């Protein structure tokens, strides 16, 4: 049997697999997981979370807290001075040729990057028009947020999104971004996990799209990090991800946000919430469909990846000595001596069960988010923007521009066994026109006219593998060992 025949059999198998392993989520929208969109208060956590704090507590966390608080003012000052200019911008052609070490280090330090030039502007604009036509043709069935004037659409299976996700420039860019990660192997368990990921093989993770109109102030998504909230401390896998921070002492400086190994088995969706990402998504991202700059409803990020992560992970273990210490009007209130260990309450600031991790100047005052959240520089149609999965990010509270602020949400996701399982169910839902498994359920686009099908996915192996329509083949240079590929294809097909 030839390789082509084997691929044909795998493609046929993918097309006929119709039994999803995941229970569909209830109908809803992006607001279901963000209190900043609904205005609701964070849930009071059960008393068991006070016990979790005590279980994780080490006296040496006090020294870590002191060091992090001492390091923050300089980082805040740098961001305040540089503003949006701190965000690296690189050309797609330079990614193809190879970036310098300085460029790579800047991307990793800030955790965010803009990639220009990979997709012709006219092609990106044609995708936006295609979406508008698709939404108009199915106007009586389209849903989104806010429901009376949709800015974020519950659309996942359009022809335009398929063309964007499978565009060679996006695939090449995602391969580069995944190459910034690595798999460690310092002990037997890590060696086993290291063999369960290919950081050279991106796969698709379907997400929504945004066409935000001038004047909109409802899609005011506050500062947050995706990938769970209380799970960061509750899940043993995520504790390993942030293990050096939780170890106390000066070890927080050794935290490696680009080590994929401990993330492979982590559970960031312990409560099976709608809109909660259940896979290892290394980079979140979007592809611009408009010319959008600061003040025009664009993305905001906190460009201090490692330091902000350390602060966020340590924050639940400490409280202000006096309630007034949460005020940012006095620098004295942010000093180390004004904060004491908090082990007797179940408070995890900005955390709720079944929601994402949210931050503001009251819950996380030392980050001085009013100064450190910066809008990304102007982007043009076809530009790609990516941010590390731990980066604090938000959406400008108001779109003050004159034109629409539009994007396709398209992240960079590596192939793992667990991700392959999700890819299988995502493929099944795609073929049926249903929403992807992590997102609000219902009929989705199953009755839409003009939605994409498997025939609309390019015939190239990379594109069809990206969609889970074709199995993988061994390739040691891409981290695809024969054993790993066999296990992935067994899960996928």
């Amino acid at each position: 049997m030839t390789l082509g025949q084997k691929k044909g059999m795998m493609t046929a198998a993918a097309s006929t697999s119709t039994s999803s392993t995941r229970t569909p989520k209830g109908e809803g929208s992006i607001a279901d997981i963000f209190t900043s969109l609904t205005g609701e208060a964070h849930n009071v956590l059960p008393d068991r979370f006070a016990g979790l704090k005590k279980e994780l507590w080490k006296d040496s966390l006090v020294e870590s807290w002191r060091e992090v608080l001492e390091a923050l003012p300089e980082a805040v000052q740098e961001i305040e001075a540089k503003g949006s200019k701190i965000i690296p911008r690189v050309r797609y052609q330079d990614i193809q040729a190879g970036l310098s070490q300085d460029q790579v280090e800047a991307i990793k330090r800030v955790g965010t990057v803009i990639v220009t030039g990979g997709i012709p502007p006219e092609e990106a604009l044609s995708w936006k028009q295609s979406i508008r036509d698709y939404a108009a043709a199915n106007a009586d069935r389209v849903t989104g947020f806010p429901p009376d004037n949709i800015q974020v659409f519950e659309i996942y299976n359009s022809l335009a999104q398929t063309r964007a996700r499978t565009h060679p420039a996006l695939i090449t860019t995602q391969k580069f971004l995944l190459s910034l990660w690595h798999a460690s192997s310092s002990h037997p368990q890590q060696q086993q996990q290291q063999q369960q990921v290919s950081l050279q093989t991106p796969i698709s993770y379907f997400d929504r799209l945004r066409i935000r109109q001038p004047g909109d102030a409802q899609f005011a998504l506050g500062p947050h990090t995706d990938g769970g909230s209380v799970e960061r401390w509750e899940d043993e896998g995520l504790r390993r991800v942030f293990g050096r921070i939780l170890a106390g002492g000066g070890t927080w400086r050794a935290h490696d946000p680009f080590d994929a190994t401990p993330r492979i088995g982590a559970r960031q969706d312990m409560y099976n919430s709608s809109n909660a990402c259940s896979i290892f998504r290394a980079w979140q991202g979007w592809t611009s469909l408009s010319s959008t700059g600061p003040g025009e409803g664009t993305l905001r990020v906190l460009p201090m990846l490692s330091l902000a992560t350390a602060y966020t992970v340590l924050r639940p273990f400490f409280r202000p000595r006096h309630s007034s210490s949460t005020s940012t009007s006095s620098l004295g209130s942010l000093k180390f001596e004004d904060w004491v260990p908090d082990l007797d309450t179940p408070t995890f600031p900005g955390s709720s069960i079944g929601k994402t991790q949210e931050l503001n100047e009251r819950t996380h005052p030392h980050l001085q988010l009013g100064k450190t959240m910066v809008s990304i520089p102007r982007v043009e149609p076809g530009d790609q923007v990516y941010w590390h999965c731990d980066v604090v990010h938000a959406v400008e509270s108001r779109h003050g521009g004159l034109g629409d602020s539009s994007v396709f949400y398209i992240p960079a996701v590596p192939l793992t066994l667990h991700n392959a399982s999700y890819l299988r169910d995502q493929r099944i839902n795609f073929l049926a026109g249903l929403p992807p498994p992590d997102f609000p359920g219902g009929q989705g686009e199953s009755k839409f006219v003009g939605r994409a099908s498997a025939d609309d996915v390019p015939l190239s192996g990379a594109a069809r593998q990206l969609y889970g329509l074709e199995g993988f083949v061994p390739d040691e240079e891409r981290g695809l060992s024969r054993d790993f590929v066999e296990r992935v294809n067994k899960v996928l097909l």
Side-chain angles (χ1 to χ4, degrees):
M1 181 180 296
T2 67
L3 180 60
Q5 290 172 319
K6 290 180 180 179
K7 287 185 176 182
M9 290 181 64
M10 288 188 286
T11 300
S15 299
T16 57
S17 297
T18 57
S19 179
S20 175
T21 62
R22 289 168 173 79
T23 302
K25 306 290 176 66
E27 294 189 54
S29 74
I30 192 172
D32 297 337
I33 202 169
F34 293 104
T35 62
S36 61
L37 291 181
T38 61
E40 62 187 304
H42 281 283
N43 299 329
V44 177
L45 296 175
D47 289 341
R48 61 186 171 86
F49 283 94
L52 177 61
K53 284 187 187 179
K54 293 176 181 176
E55 177 187 344
L56 296 176
W57 176 258
K58 301 175 183 65
D59 289 343
S60 57
L61 289 177
V62 174
E63 183 57 30
S64 290
W65 180 247
R66 179 198 297 273
E67 292 179 1
V68 168
L69 296 196
E70 290 176 348
L72 276 168
E74 182 179 350
V76 170
Q77 186 177 18
E78 180 189 8
I79 294 169
E80 192 176 13
K82 294 181 178 178
S84 297
K85 294 179 181 178
I86 200 171
I87 307 299
R89 183 192 294 267
V90 301
R91 299 189 311 161
Y92 175 70
Q93 293 84 350
D94 292 336
I95 285 179
Q96 291 177 301
L99 297 185
S100 70
Q101 190 60 37
D102 286 345
Q103 288 176 304
V104 169
E105 289 303 318
I107 294 170
K108 295 178 74 171
R109 185 170 69 90
V110 172
T112 306
V113 63
I114 299 172
V115 180
T116 66
I119 301 162
E122 58 273 15
E123 188 169 7
L125 291 173
S126 74
W127 294 339
K128 181 168 61 176
Q129 185 58 51
S130 176
I131 282 292
R132 284 174 165 157
D133 295 342
Y134 181 61
N138 299 281
D140 57 335
R141 295 190 174 95
V142 173
T143 61
F145 176 85
D148 59 341
N149 184 23
I150 298 174
Q151 311 291 312
V152 182
F153 292 75
E154 293 297 315
I155 290 178
Y156 307 89
N157 301 313
S158 69
L159 180 59
Q161 285 164 302
T162 292
R163 287 172 175 164
R165 292 174 188 136
T166 58
H167 194 285
L170 265 76
I171 295 176
T172 298
T173 300
Q174 290 168 13
K175 286 180 178 179
F176 160 71
L177 290 168
L178 294 177
S179 75
L180 301 186
W181 289 70
H182 64 92
S184 59
S185 57
S186 59
H187 56 73
Q189 182 183 12
Q190 288 183 328
Q191 290 175 1
Q192 183 180 9
Q193 288 180 325
Q194 184 184 25
Q195 298 169 5
Q196 297 179 0
V197 60
S198 171
L199 293 169
Q200 296 81 36
T201 309
I203 61 173
S204 66
Y205 181 79
F206 288 17
D207 206 331
R208 303 177 175 88
L209 63 96
R210 180 183 85 217
I211 301 181
R212 193 179 187 192
Q213 300 300 330
D216 174 67
Q218 290 188 271
F219 186 53
L221 197 58
H224 66 279
T225 54
D226 295 324
S229 59
V230 291
E231 286 92 340
R232 281 174 173 76
W233 301 271
E234 195 174 9
D235 175 62
E236 292 184 4
L238 284 174
R239 289 185 214 170
R240 286 191 290 272
V241 171
F242 305 114
R244 288 187 173 92
I245 300 172
L246 292 168
T251 56
W252 67 272
R253 298 180 186 276
H255 168 67
D256 184 355
F258 290 93
D259 183 0
T261 303
R263 297 181 189 258
I264 294 170
R267 292 180 58 205
Q268 52 195 27
D269 64 330
M270 293 177 64
Y271 300 96
N272 197 35
S273 303
S274 180
N275 299 283
C277 179
S278 66
I279 67 166
F280 170 32
R281 178 176 53 180
W283 294 88
Q284 296 167 259
W286 50 248
T287 298
S288 178
L289 306 178
S290 60
S291 177
T292 304
E296 299 176 356
T298 195
L299 174 73
R300 306 186 76 206
V301 297
L302 175 60
M304 57 161 111
L305 174 56
S306 292
L307 186 55
T309 299
Y311 175 80
T312 303
V313 171
L314 293 173
R315 173 67 180 89
F317 299 99
F318 299 90
R319 62 174 175 81
R321 188 183 299 274
H322 307 292
S323 59
S324 60
S325 294
T326 56
S327 170
T328 57
S329 61
S330 168
L331 289 178
S333 68
L334 301 181
K335 289 182 179 180
F336 167 76
E337 54 265 28
D338 287 334
W339 291 70
V340 295
D342 177 16
L343 304 181
D344 296 319
T345 73
T347 303
F348 281 69
S351 300
S352 292
I353 289 177
K355 301 286 186 178
T356 196
Q357 176 65 43
E358 299 190 76
L359 306 87
N360 58 49
E361 291 193 87
R362 180 182 58 81
T363 60
H364 296 77
H366 299 85
L367 292 177
Q368 300 188 60
L369 296 172
K371 298 178 179 179
T372 56
M373 292 294 296
V374 302
S375 299
I376 64 167
R378 178 166 295 279
V379 293
E380 301 298 335
D383 288 349
Q384 304 171 62
V385 181
Y386 295 90
W387 59 100
H388 185 282
C389 55
D390 294 336
V391 162
V392 179
H393 58 288
V395 178
E396 290 180 335
S397 59
R398 185 179 182 276
H399 180 357
L402 300 177
D404 61 87
S405 175
S406 304
V407 304
F408 283 159
Y409 295 102
I410 305 176
V413 175
L415 179 65
T416 73
L417 288 177
H418 177 70
N419 287 4
S421 173
Y422 183 89
L423 182 62
R424 173 185 182 271
D425 290 343
Q426 177 180 267
R427 177 196 69 224
I428 291 168
N429 287 12
F430 165 65
L431 296 176
L434 299 173
D438 279 347
F439 294 84
Q443 291 185 343
E445 296 155 76
S446 59
K447 297 183 179 180
F448 279 31
V449 296
R451 64 179 170 86
S453 70
D455 291 337
D456 295 307
V457 179
L459 293 178
S460 71
R464 297 190 72 79
Q465 289 172 347
L466 193 83
Y467 262 54
L469 292 167
E470 187 172 289
F472 296 86
V473 294
D475 185 342
E476 295 287 348
E477 292 185 359
R478 291 174 55 198
L480 296 171
S481 69
R482 184 171 299 279
D483 176 65
F484 177 59
V485 166
E486 288 178 355
R487 286 183 290 159
V488 163
N489 286 342
K490 183 177 180 180
V491 167
L492 184 63
L493 304 177

